């Protein structure tokens, strides 16, 4: 009887391992393409994210990036190193922009923080870019990354 239970348990483990082995990164991520639209990249697609070679720009001291997940086929924008002093500066922000239809998501750096990231846009068969704004106190910068 114990041998039969052990064999059944081994079969269940083998099936579970086989199911895990054939899972695709997109399925593991929980969204793909249009199902990622408007979702939080940290919850779904951050693990394999890249910044394309033309996907980053310095705006003064702030760093703006276009982030892309190959497994999710989705893009988002991130701003970092954007120190924000409310009495001296305007709020730094970053936007991801999908070129095919103009869909955008924006985040503004919260008081006491130095960065934020946007929600995701579907990036299958289209291009997106990131654009941002940073106020360094004595000077302001705005600009955008290349499209990817």
């Amino acid at each position: 009887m114990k041998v039969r239970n052990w064999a059944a348990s081994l079969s269940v483990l083998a099936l579970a391992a086989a199911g895990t082995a054939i899972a695709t990164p997109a399925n593991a991520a929980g969204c793909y393409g249009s199902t990622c639209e408007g979702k939080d990249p940290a919850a779904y697609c951050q693990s394999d994210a890249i910044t394309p070679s033309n996907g980053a720009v310095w705006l003064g001291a702030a760093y703006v990036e276009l982030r892309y997940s190959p497994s999710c086929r989705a893009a988002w924008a991130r701003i970092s190193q954007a120190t924000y002093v409310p009495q001296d500066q305007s709020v730094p922000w970053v936007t991801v922009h999908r070129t095919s239809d103009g869909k955008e998501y924006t985040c503004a750096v919260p008081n006491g923080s130095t960065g934020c990231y946007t929600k995701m846009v579907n990036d299958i068969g289209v291009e997106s870019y990131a654009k941002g704004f940073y106020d360094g106190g004595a000077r302001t910068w705005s600009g955008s990354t290349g499209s990817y």
Side-chain angles (χ1 to χ4, degrees), residues 35-113:
T35 65
C36 294
E37 188 77 36
K39 291 188 177 172
D40 181 351
Y44 295 93
C45 303
Q46 181 173 285
S47 64
D48 71 338
I50 62 166
T51 299
S53 60
N54 68 340
V57 62
W58 284 97
L59 302 179
Y63 192 58
V64 170
E65 296 171 88
L66 176 69
R67 303 288 287 161
Y68 175 76
S69 167
S71 66
C72 291
R73 302 285 302 270
W76 63 95
R78 176 172 69 184
I79 187 169
S80 57
Q81 302 179 46
T83 305
Y84 171 43
V85 181
Q87 64 272 21
D88 296 335
Q89 299 171 303
S90 299
V91 177
W93 54 264
V94 68
T95 298
V96 63
H97 177 93
R98 185 171 53 216
T99 57
S100 63
D101 63 358
K103 179 68 177 177
E104 293 184 335
Y105 290 104
T106 300
C107 71
V109 176
N111 188 11
S113 185

Side-chain angles (χ1 to χ4, degrees), residues 3 6 24 27 33 35 53 65 79 94 116 126 144:
V3 170
W6 182 80
T24 64
N27 289 339
T35 65
S53 60
E65 296 171 88
I79 187 169
V94 68
C116 64
V126 296
S144 62

Side-chain angles (χ1 to χ4, degrees), residues 107-126:
C107 71
V109 176
N111 188 11
S113 185
T114 59
C116 64
Y117 57 87
T118 68
K119 294 179 180 181
M120 295 185 286
V121 294
N122 172 14
D123 203 46
I124 295 177
V126 296

